[in-house]
Amino acid sequence: MSTPQLVTLDFEEPVAEVQRQIDSLEQKPDAATFAEEIATLRQARDNLLEKTYANLSPWQTVRVARHPQRPQTLDYVRMICRDWCELHGDRRYRDDPSIVTGFARIGSMKCLVVGHHKGRSTEERIKCRFGCANPEGYRKALLKMQMAEKFRLPIVTLIDTPGAYPGLDSEERGQAEAIAVNLREMSRLRTPIVCCVIGEGGSGGALGIGVGDRVAMLQYSWYSVISPEGCAAILWKKANEQTNTAAATALALTAEANLRNGLVDAVIPEPHGGAHRNPQATAERLQSWIVDSVRELQRLAPETLVRLRFEKFRAIGSVAH
Amino acid sequence: MAETSWESAGAATTKKSVPDGLWMPCDGCSETLFRKALEANLWVCPRCDHHHRISGRQRVEQLVDPDSFEPMNAKMAPMDPLQFRDLKAYTDRIRDAQRTTGENDGVQTGTGFVKGRKVALGCMDFTFLAGSMGSVIGEKLTRIIEHATDHDLPLVIVSCSGGARMMESGFSLMQMAKTSAALARFDDAGGLFISVLSDPTTGGVTASFAMLGDVILAEPKALIGFAGPRVIRQTIRQELPEGFQTAEFLKDAGFVDRIVHRSQLRSEIGRVIDYAGK
């Protein structure tokens, strides 16, 4: 991966500094004479990167999850799907580009892929509202998932949203109803559903395509009832670096914490320095998790599948009697 | 989502929805009202018709035939699975809310009769941490839904909530999936779910069971929405139109079947059960 164009997060600055030293040596006409020094610096850079990522705070993890170069749904589609056959529209109102749906082949497996898409260019990001879907996005997702059920195709959802879009139109068109219906209907679809949070798992907007038989998170993604900033603004009365850090920690939003709390089933490790440093390796790991999970689920009778999915969500909660 | 009504309801942790005292000002028209008279009028202002917020317990009393309510899981209380602490510890918030309200958490569930018809009932309580849904509310509602499924009872849930409870983070988020999945089974069994939306119904509660009623009733002028008004204003950077996210707005948009005055709620529920109940 071409490291020079990599956007550096503030806590990655020491790594970037070593990288700059490497670059300046490599650009010298007599670079060959510095081969040993360059090798040492590379080793130092890799060690520093590994150490930085081994000690990310939850808030720093959120920053990685939002990295502008982090692979998005359509990047994974390009990397792991053969023959992507995108299907548009909710047949009610319009096509929402912030949730994409389509037939795809992953390895030898035919499936339906559903995923939030944030967009890459400024223009695309605006069109996708930075991955914040409207009701028609959730309704499109459900329509295609019900079709997948009909044709016995497994469903793969990729979650990556700061949250469902909070706007005038989205309220008027029933954002809450759209998400609620998805939760109810996904719980009883008679086909395997596997979900992975690939970046941001922002609240109901994430869960709206997240009721699955198996739910995984990429190592540096986050999943929570509210964003750290939203939580900080309400409970700490202001959102700044310090309160966001505190809120991110309190919310237990990392993949590791969600796994520990039994809210997701698996964590998919990312390459050193995060998915954006090696999208291909991340995609390969995601693909094998998807394929293994679906293969396992396809052995179950539909009634068993639906019952186990219900029981999985039924069991979540922490109460005193 | 969880952010929604804490802005307007932050005070709910320290004060009751209806203050004590012989006289009190109406939240709608500011007219000074005799407390007893207001109570006799179901906490609806006789002058401006403002529907004051009432507790889950008051709601139960108003809805069911006298002495017919049999509570379920009344002792269920919240835990603190994440050892959550913001400026205050969640355990302290729970303790304070329990002390001021006398309740274990923010929902009453059980069975009772509405005009002689047996129902499974859930009434949310905004006075308890803004009616925010954590594990207890999710679990108690799921159990009452399951009870309705097992006993072929019509289900009535009166929502009144600021959304999901932030202090239980992912646990509260998943209550949305849990309650909705239980409603799928209830639906498969042919059960009738009447969802009643009262002021306010927002966030994760709206985006799960509250919007899944076979019939959805709402009290006049109730605030109903997904995102809170403050969040929407910040996002779109403009003022919200008059009446946005009210029950009437939702009815016009096609998401609420009927607006029902509190004095008519019992008879309307009975009427719907007579059409659609088993």
Side-chain angles (χ1 to χ4, degrees), chain A residues 171 188 234 251 314 316 320, chain B residues 3 77 146 169 178 188 227 245:
Chain A
E171 291 288 323
R188 59 180 167 186
I234 298 161
L251 286 168
R314 178 67 187 85
I316 299 177
Chain B
E3 43 212 294
E146 290 172 343
S169 195
K178 183 162 107 180
D188 285 339
Q245 293 186 314

Side-chain angles (χ1 to χ4, degrees), chain B residues 111 117-120 144-155 185-193 273 276-278:
Chain B
T111 57
R117 300 154 186 91
K118 192 170 187 188
V119 300
I144 197 67
I145 295 165
E146 290 172 343
H147 184 83
T149 313
D150 294 344
H151 295 84
D152 269 342
L153 292 175
L155 170 71
R185 288 190 155 193
F186 184 57
D187 182 54
D188 285 339
L192 163 67
F193 172 29
I273 292 173
K278 285 200 231 179

Side-chain angles (χ1 to χ4, degrees), chain A residues 166 171-174 176 180 187-188 203 207 224-225 234-236 250-251 261 310 313-314 316 318-321, chain B residues 1 3 76-77 79 82 84 86 135 139 142-143 146 164 169 175 178 184-185 187-188 207-208 226-227 245 253 255:
Chain A
E171 291 288 323
E172 192 164 9
R173 290 198 296 277
S187 80
R188 59 180 167 186
S203 202
L207 189 61
S224 160
V225 74
I234 298 161
L235 294 180
W236 277 264
L251 286 168
N261 289 323
F310 173 81
F313 285 93
R314 178 67 187 85
I316 299 177
S318 161
V319 302
H321 294 279
Chain B
M1 93 165 5
E3 43 212 294
M76 198 183 289
M79 310 259 277
L82 304 174
F84 194 98
D86 48 87
S135 298
E139 183 65 25
T142 301
R143 289 191 188 190
E146 290 172 343
S169 195
Q175 302 311 308
K178 183 162 107 180
R185 288 190 155 193
D187 182 54
D188 285 339
S208 59
F226 174 65
Q245 293 186 314
F255 292 99

Side-chain angles (χ1 to χ4, degrees), chain A residues 17 21 29 67 73 90 116 134 154 159 174 187 198 208 222 236 253 256 276 279 283 293 295 298 310 315:
Chain A
E17 176 53 37
Q21 290 174 25
H67 193 286
T73 291
D90 70 341
H116 296 102
N134 269 335
I159 296 163
S187 80
I198 57 170
W222 69 269
W236 277 264
L253 46 63
E256 195 193 337
H276 57 288
S293 304
R295 209 169 275 157
Q298 279 176 325
F310 173 81

